[in-house]
Amino acid sequence: MKNFIAKSIKHLQKNSRQILTINQRKIHLDITRNSQFADLAHFESILDKQGVVTNEQVLHNHNNDWTHKYQGHSKLLLKPKTPEEVSQVLSYCNERRLAVVPQGGNTGLVGGSQPVFDEIIVNLSRMNKILEFDESYGIVTAEAGCILQDLHSFLHDKGYLMPLDLGAKGSCQIGGNLATNAGGIHFIRYNSLHANCVGLQVVLANGTILDNITNLRKDNTGYDLKHLFIGAEGTLGVITKSAILCPTLPKYKHLALVSCRKFEDVLELLKKAKLQLSDILQAAEFMDQISMEAVNHMLGFKNPLNKEYPFYALIEVASNNEGKSDSERLFSLLGDTENIVATLKYDISLSTAHYYKIVEEVRLLILSSHEFTDTEKQLIKVTGYGHIGDGNLHLNVAIPGYDSSSLQDKLNAVVDPFVFDYVKNVRGSVSAEHGIGLQKAKYLSYSKTPEMIEYMQHIKDIFDPCGIMNPYKVIMDSKISQ
Amino acid sequence: MKNFIAKSIKHLQKNSRQILTINQRKIHLDITRNSQFADLAHFESILDKQGVVTNEQVLHNHNNDWTHKYQGHSKLLLKPKTPEEVSQVLSYCNERRLAVVPQGGNTGLVGGSQPVFDEIIVNLSRMNKILEFDESYGIVTAEAGCILQDLHSFLHDKGYLMPLDLGAKGSCQIGGNLATNAGGIHFIRYNSLHANCVGLQVVLANGTILDNITNLRKDNTGYDLKHLFIGAEGTLGVITKSAILCPTLPKYKHLALVSCRKFEDVLELLKKAKLQLSDILQAAEFMDQISMEAVNHMLGFKNPLNKEYPFYALIEVASNNEGKSDSERLFSLLGDTENIVATLKYDISLSTAHYYKIVEEVRLLILSSHEFTDTEKQLIKVTGYGHIGDGNLHLNVAIPGYDSSSLQDKLNAVVDPFVFDYVKNVRGSVSAEHGIGLQKAKYLSYSKTPEMIEYMQHIKDIFDPCGIMNPYKVIMDSKISQ
């Protein structure tokens, strides 16, 4: 195996700028491969047979993301079964300067869990056990590879639910959710994973197992290190276990899908919902007509209102107050809109004043651009939808058909700088919930000051001094580029 | 001024082991003064006249905590008015190796905000402005010295409330609340400050202003550094501004004070409350009969149930559902029990199985100890009360009268190791919400693994390489002891 991998790495090194797919070209062109990352072997002695995968077909799935936007070239997939195995793998990789990509359910949207070159994939899917449930505080302890849906099912039977709910829950894993600080639909009610994660076990680059697994609701002793790993996208260590605080299952849910003629009406509705329903408000979502059309087209659904409106808002409330239960169909429909085929997907955070304005401005930008022909302008669909209750907009610029790389290149060139500058100028965030990954690593400075980034780099140096953990992601100018 | 201070420091250095008060002796005896910390001057050129205080009477209040347990010997109190002034002060202190204690309302219970020797006190009370309120997300931005009660009042008028509510709210400051990750009564409903702080501005030891003030509900860009400063008790930097997410004010509140014959009945009640009322449960508090007596005695209240029971539980629910409002008197009464005069105050986190057992075990311990005479055993009151909904127990060992230092010394010697060992053995936390401070610095390892502490030390070294920030606290073996 050693030879085989060494050979492939040599090939990759030589061709590192050529092997990237067309879609990736614009993103990766400025990354030079770090020649430190070479030579791997002997993981068979640490892991069992199923734990060491070199099969190309299997690797293909783990090298690619589900939107087919990012493609890595790893030749080795490791699937450890215990934190100790993860520790042995990392400690070996650290000594040998082998780069590693931690991977959960691989459902991310910013290329955070795919290798860029031939980094070793450490996939957590075999560590998928629910370990404990503390009924007195509602704290569930599980291994990192546990599928989010499995946690939901487990907790449902006990009268609890996971605070996190999102479209990919059938395949995403809790470790990946934590590593990316996933947001989702119920963020407005139950807050972020920073709020709900009470304990974490992490394996650091040098193999150290940092054990902060606890069932305690409160613990105020020393620096709260676990928050560093929540949202660090595997660049500081591999999350192996977590303890999550779970709310009890509300008995009754009510949903309202509201049509609006103006975006201002959506905002007015949100304001009222927050003030009048705040204690039971479970979700506040929004979509425009083009998003609605796209969902209906892609999934064969029908607009439940039987008439078109420029905007739609969805308000969900949930409580233990007795009342009629309502259909959740529309709601899951909204969650599924992630399946729209799109070339550009933005996940941004803006104040309400700018929330929808940016969608309109991007439409204007494309219409007024000389880069596109009139036919092309017709093809491009700019849609906005998202968790308006949290100020989180999913701005998509989609080209149905999606096979013209030159059209896409033009789109990147015109829209990308505009959106990122817009967000920077209004002090928004270039990543509300999807993270930084590979896609936005060069845009980190659009949401964080140079001083913040400098200290992030110091933190990176502490936990991953050799820079083996998920290189090229989140912080670009890490040790690996020296 | 320079001479004066230099002289006093010389004196302090010589006598560093002698100057500590009797109450402190047992705690501080093993701390050797770091001779690096010497020589201070010229802050008048940076701050205005009111900003530089050397008056002994004024300093007395800032050198002492309100329980009179900790007494520092600072000769200089600085009261900057802007983050830039804080930056200039710290950068000068960093260059000259002058130790600094950040101080807010000085209401802590673990000696975190008092100087140990003659550290310079940087008090934030003049930075007390509420800067902004973002109504669409309910985010309030305020300077660190803003009094918690002022924030409550400000928000109340707008139909919102602070997620944090505690007995000391009339004098504690939001910066100190954040620095200590204060918990309080509504933790069970609104979660911790880690959950609700969306933005932070911090001045680091070298004067760097780390600006992460944001009004965004969601922001997933890079490592979330702000969490490091929440609960770091001023050992990593001085918090100067914060943005806090606030819930809307519930219109209706209901309170129930429930008497229980057995502690198991309290637990049963809590379990039911959590399952049936979870969506509106605002507080779940607990006290035993000795705590009730102490409150009644100290504050001149009357047991509202007109009969004695071994245990009492208080359940508060709040919502916008219409309904009768109830008196809050009992509730604020409970908050005030902090005023009990006590020699030993423990703030621990335990699973429900051990929650009250430790109170009974400490009583047994004292009764069976040969250290105390029968009369002394009669004097000692062991009480338990706290935020049972969060597993947070306030275990107090009180001696009414409180003037026998030999009795207190014996108490320390007998009870301290027992309680800390008990908590360690059942994997609890030695500080649920009051922090580590000076009091528990040597007990950090009782709740955190050596690896966790090692990386805390690395973090400390990044943000405060010269070790000037609040030395001797939280992490004992920091750079300053080298």
Side-chain angles (χ1 to χ4, degrees), chain A residues 136-137 180-181 195 213 218-221 223 235 248 274 278-279 319-320 349 391-392 429 431 433 448 462, chain B residues 136-137 180-181 191 218-221 223 235 248 274 278-279 319-320 349 391-392 429 431 433 448 462:
Chain A
S136 51
Y137 300 124
T180 56
N181 189 28
I213 279 291
K218 278 178 170 173
D219 175 20
N220 229 350
T221 53
Y223 309 148
T235 61
T248 50
K274 281 202 162 186
S278 65
D279 52 334
S319 74
N320 288 339
S349 199
N392 181 184
S429 168
S431 183
E433 61 173 9
K448 291 287 147 72
I462 284 179
Chain B
S136 52
Y137 300 125
T180 56
N181 189 28
N191 213 326
K218 278 177 170 174
D219 176 19
N220 228 351
T221 53
Y223 309 148
T235 61
T248 50
K274 282 201 160 186
S278 66
D279 52 334
S319 74
N320 288 340
S349 200
N392 181 183
S429 168
S431 182
E433 62 174 8
K448 291 285 147 73
I462 285 179

Side-chain angles (χ1 to χ4, degrees), chain B residues 10-21:
Chain B
K10 209 171 151 197
H11 169 77
L12 287 174
Q13 280 182 297
K14 203 172 64 186
N15 300 294
S16 61
R17 279 158 188 271
Q18 281 71 49
I19 55 157
L20 300 165
T21 60

Side-chain angles (χ1 to χ4, degrees), chain A residues 134-138 158-160 180-184 187-192 194-196 204 206 208-214 216-228 230-233 235-236 245 248-249 251 270-271 274-280 318-321 347 349-352 355 387-392 427-436 444 447-449 451-453 455-460 462-463 474-475, chain B residues 134-138 158-160 180-184 187-192 194-196 204 206 208-214 216-228 230-233 235-236 245 248-249 251 270-271 274-280 318-321 347 349-352 355 387-392 427-436 444 447-449 451-453 455-460 462-463 474-475:
Chain A
D134 181 325
E135 209 141 348
S136 51
Y137 300 124
K158 302 196 174 292
Y160 286 80
T180 56
N181 189 28
F187 189 101
I188 192 172
R189 174 75 171 259
Y190 303 123
N191 212 325
S192 73
H194 282 288
N196 295 305
L204 303 181
N206 66 5
T208 298
I209 300 178
L210 216 54
D211 198 347
N212 190 207
I213 279 291
T214 167
L216 303 174
R217 184 78 180 79
K218 278 178 170 173
D219 175 20
N220 229 350
T221 53
Y223 309 148
D224 206 336
L225 299 182
K226 67 174 177 286
H227 293 287
L228 285 173
I230 299 172
E233 304 179 43
T235 61
L236 296 179
L245 179 71
T248 50
L249 198 63
K251 284 200 190 102
L270 174 67
K271 200 174 155 185
K274 281 202 162 186
L275 280 169
Q276 290 169 25
L277 307 170
S278 65
D279 52 334
I280 50 169
S319 74
N320 288 339
N321 301 324
D347 155 45
S349 199
L350 296 166
S351 70
T352 45
Y355 189 86
H387 318 300
I388 191 165
D390 313 318
N392 181 184
R427 291 186 62 110
S429 168
V430 296
S431 183
E433 61 173 9
H434 290 163
I436 290 290
L444 184 59
S447 294
K448 291 287 147 72
T449 65
E451 294 81 15
M452 295 287 285
I453 295 172
Y455 281 90
M456 286 180 199
Q457 185 62 59
H458 291 320
I459 300 278
K460 170 82 175 168
I462 284 179
F463 289 102
V474 186
I475 293 196
Chain B
D134 181 325
E135 209 140 348
S136 52
Y137 300 125
K158 301 194 175 295
Y160 286 79
T180 56
N181 189 28
F187 189 101
I188 192 171
R189 174 74 171 260
Y190 302 122
N191 213 326
S192 72
H194 282 288
N196 295 305
L204 303 182
N206 65 5
T208 298
I209 300 178
L210 217 55
D211 198 346
N212 191 207
I213 279 292
T214 168
L216 304 173
R217 183 78 179 77
K218 278 177 170 174
D219 176 19
N220 228 351
T221 53
Y223 309 148
D224 205 337
L225 298 182
K226 68 173 178 287
H227 293 288
L228 285 174
I230 299 172
E233 304 179 44
T235 61
L236 297 179
L245 178 71
T248 50
L249 199 63
K251 284 200 190 101
L270 173 68
K271 200 173 155 186
K274 282 201 160 186
L275 280 169
Q276 291 170 23
L277 306 170
S278 66
D279 52 334
I280 50 169
S319 74
N320 288 340
N321 302 324
D347 156 46
S349 200
L350 297 165
S351 69
T352 44
Y355 189 86
H387 318 300
I388 191 165
D390 311 318
N392 181 183
R427 290 187 63 111
S429 168
V430 297
S431 182
E433 62 174 8
H434 290 162
I436 290 290
L444 184 59
S447 294
K448 291 285 147 73
T449 64
E451 293 81 15
M452 295 287 285
I453 296 172
Y455 281 91
M456 286 180 198
Q457 184 62 58
H458 290 321
I459 300 277
K460 170 81 175 168
I462 285 179
F463 290 102
V474 185
I475 293 196

Side-chain angles (χ1 to χ4, degrees), chain B residues 302-317:
Chain B
K302 223 182 97 189
N303 181 342
L305 297 182
N306 283 318
K307 205 184 143 188
E308 286 183 6
Y309 293 90
F311 301 103
Y312 304 88
L314 191 143
I315 305 291
E316 187 192 66
V317 296

Side-chain angles (χ1 to χ4, degrees), chain B residues 117-131:
Chain B
F117 297 107
D118 57 351
E119 300 94 290
I120 294 167
I121 302 169
V122 176
N123 186 289
L124 279 286
S125 56
R126 290 211 298 171
M127 294 171 63
N128 60 357
K129 284 192 290 297
I130 296 171
L131 302 168

